[in-house]
Amino acid sequence: MEIETILKKKEWEKTDLITLLNCRDSAEEELFRHTRQLRNATLGNSVHMRGLIEISNICIKDCLYCGIRKSNSQAQRYQLEDREIIEAAVFAYQNHYGSIVLQGGERTDPGFILRIENLIKEIKRLSGQGLGITLSLGEQTEETYQRWFDAGAHRYLLRIETSNKELYRKIHPDNPQHHFHTRLNCIRLLQHCGYQTGTGVMIGLPFQTVEDLADDLLFLKEMDIDMVGMGPYLEHRDTPLWSYRNLLLPQTERLRLGLHMISCLRLLMPDINIAATTALQAIDPQGREQALSIGANVIMPNITPLGNRGNYRLYENKPGMDEGAEESTRRLAESIRKSGCEIQPDAWGDSLHFELRTKKEG
Ligand code: SAH
Ligand code: SF4
């Protein structure tokens, strides 16, 4: 089927999405032009900033793809002090980011849960409730999610990683701590608690097919998700998946597929927030700007204190070592402008989808 005919549809089938994910040359240009216009017509050209603070690389999980998995004895473990986290949050507030993301390895001990709760309250208090807080701290109980929500966090990112259960099993250890159903249930719990809920997938995993990616897009739509962060899978030498690296697409192909996934998702869900993720930038320094120019509308510059930024290494060649300073924020604003977008300062940048969804429900 012609790309033009597919783009005019109101509902898309898996076969349509496979065609869009595979398209090249003039068809690709047409797809990208369409979703750029769709983003501009629905949300305008504004980009929301989130200052990313990587609070710790200590993790109780053992995901087979991740460089900070528990069993990686090569990883230099760290955790930021409360003071460092608060200073980074204040930096974000003073530099008009509007929002921060607290991300880290998963921990479920009571001390950790309480500490996060207190940090959220303190950051809200110091910013006169002004700073939006997104969390990305893995699988927790409903009670924990609720406590953190009540403390003032209002968005949460928990990727499904892949919507294909068999593939999920292949990229995680086979034990109850790493079950697909637990992950799925956590995403539902987050929605139930009232969070703007974000999920996403990795693109270009070993054993993953374009059919799987089309299913991922349909899954995100079916889950009625408010925000999505997805990006290319990048191999890390100290992980079990490293031994499958000969099965991978070249990185440039993974980047291309990543951009196609973002473009297709914008087509399916015009009013959600879609992040231009760091993994895109790891392959191409302009990867995030390319994503913004075809439909993404969120960017998450790294504002982790520099001393620890190198230790939060989910994959090889992690970029962002020069981000977060005032000068680099200015440079980023400039390159975002070149991609046809404009940073919206001091805004929480909530997902329009969430606003419309809650209005409907309320
Ligand atoms: N521990 C939390 C947050 C940190 S990991 C969690 O797992 O949700 C955040 C995301 O990094 C994961 O969801 C995964 O999609 C991504 N990630 C981990 N290892 C990766 C790799 N090797 N390549 C690309 N993305 C990776
Ligand atoms: Fe831990 Fe998240 Fe990495 Fe899994 S992906 S090992 S939960 S940091």
Side-chain angles (χ1 to χ4, degrees):
M1 201 187 296
E2 287 281 322
I3 293 289
E4 210 176 319
T5 318
I6 298 179
L7 293 177
K8 280 198 187 122
K9 287 183 154 194
K10 296 268 179 291
E11 302 266 343
W12 293 269
E13 290 170 25
K14 191 169 165 183
T15 49
D16 299 323
L17 298 173
I18 292 171
T19 305
L20 295 179
L21 289 172
N22 283 327
C23 76
R24 288 180 186 259
D25 306 322
S26 62
E28 178 181 75
E29 276 170 35
E30 201 173 332
L31 168 67
F32 287 173
R33 193 178 331 114
H34 183 87
T35 56
R36 175 184 312 130
Q37 282 168 359
L38 183 59
R39 195 271 320 274
N40 287 344
T42 318
L43 306 171
N45 71 344
S46 47
V47 170
H48 305 303
M49 300 269 277
R50 325 267 185 243
L52 176 65
I53 310 174
E54 297 158 337
I55 64 168
S56 168
N57 66 358
I58 299 169
C59 187
I60 58 169
K61 299 288 270 294
D62 241 339
C63 309
L64 303 181
Y65 40 86
C66 178
I68 64 170
R69 63 198 296 272
K70 177 179 158 201
S71 301
N72 180 12
S73 56
Q74 301 295 313
Q76 284 261 14
R77 303 291 166 175
Y78 75 91
Q79 77 174 325
L80 297 185
E81 290 175 19
D82 287 2
R83 177 187 51 79
E84 293 176 297
I85 296 173
I86 287 168
E87 273 170 19
V90 169
F91 170 88
Y93 187 58
Q94 287 172 344
N95 283 274
H96 312 289
Y97 279 56
S99 276
I100 54 166
V101 181
L102 300 182
Q103 189 180 78
E106 192 174 304
R107 281 180 61 178
T108 53
D109 50 291
F112 177 76
I113 293 166
L114 178 64
R115 185 171 164 236
I116 297 297
E117 184 180 23
N118 288 336
L119 273 167
I120 297 167
K121 286 185 187 156
E122 185 63 4
I123 293 168
K124 290 305 266 190
R125 189 184 68 75
L126 281 173
S127 66
Q129 308 299 314
L131 205 54
I133 302 180
T134 305
L135 300 178
S136 176
L137 299 169
E139 293 174 2
Q140 304 288 341
T141 63
E142 181 166 17
E143 191 208 341
T144 301
Y145 285 146
Q146 194 67 56
R147 268 173 71 182
W148 290 346
F149 183 80
D150 294 342
H154 78 301
R155 291 187 287 244
Y156 204 106
L157 302 169
L158 182 64
R159 290 185 177 178
I160 191 74
E161 315 297 358
T162 170
S163 64
N164 177 333
K165 283 192 221 79
E166 281 76 49
L167 180 56
Y168 191 94
R169 208 178 47 220
K170 283 189 187 140
I171 62 169
H172 292 94
D174 191 9
N175 64 36
Q177 218 191 358
H178 294 86
H179 273 173
F180 178 82
H181 285 289
T182 312
R183 179 61 58 104
L184 189 58
N185 191 45
C186 280
I187 297 171
R188 296 215 172 96
L189 290 179
L190 288 164
Q191 289 177 314
H192 185 244
C193 284
Y195 283 96
Q196 283 177 59
T197 307
T199 188
V201 296
M202 282 180 286
I203 298 154
L205 286 161
F207 316 110
Q208 191 181 42
T209 63
V210 174
E211 284 76 12
D212 290 328
L213 293 172
D215 281 331
D216 289 341
L217 290 167
L218 294 170
F219 168 88
L220 296 170
K221 171 101 179 156
E222 169 70 28
M223 287 292 286
D224 201 21
I225 216 74
D226 303 305
M227 22 187 232
V228 171
M230 56 184 175
Y233 161 70
L234 294 160
E235 56 276 39
H236 188 299
R237 65 180 65 246
D238 300 319
T239 62
L241 281 199
W242 176 254
S243 53
Y244 298 104
R245 65 193 178 284
N246 58 339
L247 298 181
L248 300 175
L249 291 168
Q251 289 204 348
T252 48
E253 276 301 295
R254 279 177 260 163
L255 172 66
R256 195 188 65 82
L257 262 185
L259 293 172
H260 279 237
M261 283 290 281
I262 287 175
S263 185
C264 288
L265 183 64
R266 182 55 77 202
L267 183 69
L268 261 54
M269 306 188 78
D271 60 2
I272 63 168
N273 277 352
I274 305 179
T277 52
T278 314
L280 296 163
Q281 185 195 5
I283 299 181
D284 182 327
Q286 289 297 306
R288 293 180 304 175
E289 286 83 349
Q290 286 181 49
L292 293 175
S293 78
I294 60 163
N297 69 323
V298 170
I299 196 159
M300 294 160 43
N302 197 333
I303 60 165
T304 307
L306 267 172
N308 281 308
R309 219 178 272 185
N311 289 328
Y312 193 84
R313 201 178 295 258
L314 306 174
Y315 42 76
E316 307 271 323
N317 299 328
K318 182 188 158 205
M321 290 305 287
D322 64 341
E323 273 183 353
E326 276 162 54
E327 166 61 16
S328 49
T329 306
R330 199 193 51 71
R331 258 188 288 126
L332 183 65
E334 181 58 34
S335 74
I336 287 174
R337 215 167 290 129
K338 280 197 194 126
S339 65
C341 300
E342 206 63 55
I343 288 177
Q344 198 180 14
D346 296 313
W348 281 11
D350 286 344
S351 137
L352 176 62
H353 185 79
F354 178 79
E355 279 171 36
L356 298 176
R357 178 163 74 76
T358 40
K359 219 179 270 168
K360 214 167 23 183
E361 283 166 7

